[in-house]
Amino acid sequence: MTPYLSFNRQQWAELRNSVPMTLSETDLVELQGVNESLTMDEVEEIYLPLSRLLNLYIAARQNRNTVLNNFLGNQESAPPFIIGIAGSVAVGKSTTARLLKALLSRWENHPKVELVTTDGFLYPKKVLDERGIMHRKGFPESYDIKRLVQFVSDVKAAKPNLEVPVYSHITYDITDEVKVVNRPDVLIIEGLNVLQSGMDYPHDPHRVFVSDFLDFSLYVDAESNVIEQWYVERFLNFRKGAFTKPGSYFSHYTRLTVPKAIEKAHSIWQSINGVNLDANILPTKGRAHLILKKGQSHKVEQVFLRK
């Protein structure tokens, strides 16, 4: 027995139900990740049916809000529909988040869609250094959970002009910038930890977590050895791109030979990201409403939808 319905690509694609494609090839190039090749077929067969499903969920929630406001006789702003996207480093969850933001913002009944990543709620590098947990970045203890939960709680309460810290993957630190989130129709929150709960934070227990505020949650999945290979490939691409930028925290990796860079990437994965995946991320997969299971080519091969 399983709590999920299982679909192969063809079965899932048939659920698109004539939802029109609203993105161009140029849009896809801008949305895809460093190590991915996002195709029109992938969007049409996987993400348009998903967009349709989410739109139905959002419409149902909006109808419920209207009924409740009519009953209470008030004119308060309706809380946004919050979607959480979780998964490993390098699995492509950021691309999924950007793509869903682009698709959902084109539906007439919820045009204002915001995307926030939990990276902005990591503790600053100085704090991580002081606590001796710089090597644990991305693990539960590296996040300011109270601040993250307060933000999501304020969004759900329809509070205006909320400020979100901005994280830089170049400097590997929190910046002085902020992103302002002002009463969106839909909020997508993406990160390693969005499906974690109290049992995942024994060192700092809280009564509420991000997962308590989610209306719908996705987990982007693939076999661990496949993700490790994607991580290595992404590391090599960064070595020629982001790592070369002024102020890059990882600029020293540009001086490695290709064999040494590959060796270093595998070492980082096996000592940090792979450990975090097995201990803290993968155990949350069963809490997701929907799981996108990818194959070696980054294409989604199976979709699991909670009954």
Side-chain angles (χ1 to χ4, degrees):
M1 296 295 291
T2 172
Y4 290 97
L5 300 171
S6 176
F7 303 86
N8 61 32
R9 275 187 76 94
Q10 182 179 350
Q11 291 168 331
W12 183 254
E14 290 171 356
L15 298 173
R16 174 183 172 182
N17 198 30
S18 301
V19 172
M21 168 57 81
T22 55
L23 301 176
S24 67
E25 292 282 3
T26 302
D27 292 329
L28 298 192
V29 171
E30 293 176 354
L31 291 168
Q32 69 188 12
V34 172
N35 199 41
E36 299 173 73
S37 180
L38 190 58
T39 66
M40 197 64 77
D41 284 344
E42 187 76 357
V43 177
E44 291 176 349
E45 295 176 9
I46 301 298
Y47 292 99
L48 286 183
L50 178 53
S51 172
R52 176 183 172 234
L53 174 66
L54 288 170
N55 181 60
L56 292 171
Y57 271 105
I58 295 165
R61 175 53 58 88
Q62 289 174 333
N63 288 337
R64 194 189 80 168
N65 291 337
T66 299
V67 169
L68 183 60
N69 282 336
N70 286 340
F71 174 72
L72 297 174
N74 64 40
Q75 301 295 322
E76 293 182 5
S77 298
F81 190 91
I82 301 182
I83 300 168
I85 301 178
S88 170
V89 168
V91 79
K93 62 186 180 300
S94 296
T95 299
T96 296
R98 289 192 298 268
L99 184 52
L100 285 179
K101 178 180 184 295
L103 290 171
L104 291 176
S105 64
R106 286 162 168 79
W107 288 88
E108 292 183 359
N109 57 322
H110 45 79
K112 190 175 182 180
V113 182
E114 290 283 4
L115 170 59
V116 168
T117 72
T118 60
D119 289 344
F121 295 91
L122 285 161
Y123 284 115
K125 188 149 57 74
K126 180 181 178 182
V127 174
L128 296 176
D129 282 332
E130 289 172 350
R131 297 184 181 184
I133 56 173
M134 194 65 178
H135 65 293
R136 302 276 292 178
K137 203 165 196 177
F139 284 70
E141 62 268 29
S142 65
Y143 290 93
D144 187 343
I145 293 299
K146 290 181 180 178
R147 187 174 184 182
L148 173 58
V149 169
Q150 186 61 58
F151 163 72
V152 181
S153 175
D154 288 344
V155 170
K156 204 63 174 173
K159 292 185 178 180
N161 300 319
L162 300 173
E163 294 187 348
V164 181
V166 175
Y167 179 81
S168 168
H169 289 276
I170 302 298
T171 63
Y172 204 50
D173 201 2
I174 303 298
T175 70
D176 294 329
E177 300 176 51
V178 293
K179 175 185 175 74
V180 177
V181 175
N182 187 26
R183 291 178 174 166
D185 300 311
V186 178
L187 173 70
I188 299 173
I189 184 161
E190 173 260 309
L192 304 174
N193 59 336
V194 296
L195 291 179
Q196 290 170 0
S197 64
M199 67 182 71
D200 304 303
Y201 289 81
H203 64 287
D204 187 16
H206 298 276
R207 294 184 178 179
V208 291
F209 289 83
V210 173
S211 53
D212 296 322
F213 295 93
L214 301 179
D215 297 295
F216 194 91
S217 56
L218 287 80
Y219 186 94
V220 184
D221 192 27
E223 296 298 328
S224 296
N225 63 313
V226 172
I227 306 174
E228 179 177 356
Q229 185 56 41
W230 291 344
Y231 177 79
V232 172
E233 291 169 359
R234 191 179 75 166
F235 186 92
L236 293 177
N237 283 328
F238 280 156
R239 179 174 160 272
K240 296 180 293 184
F243 293 173
T244 66
K245 294 184 178 180
S248 172
Y249 181 79
F250 298 107
S251 60
H252 55 288
Y253 290 143
T254 62
R255 296 188 290 273
L256 296 177
T257 63
V258 172
K260 286 293 184 182
I262 292 173
E263 181 182 337
K264 184 62 180 178
H266 279 296
S267 174
I268 294 172
W269 176 268
Q270 290 162 11
S271 62
I272 300 176
N273 294 310
V275 175
N276 195 20
L277 172 60
D278 291 339
N280 301 306
I281 303 169
L282 195 55
T284 71
K285 179 171 73 171
R287 300 172 192 165
H289 293 101
L290 185 138
I291 300 169
L292 298 175
K293 183 64 180 286
K294 290 184 170 185
Q296 186 102 32
S297 65
H298 281 280
K299 290 185 178 179
V300 175
E301 296 181 345
Q302 283 183 295
V303 178
F304 299 92
L305 177 64
R306 185 173 288 279
K307 296 175 184 177

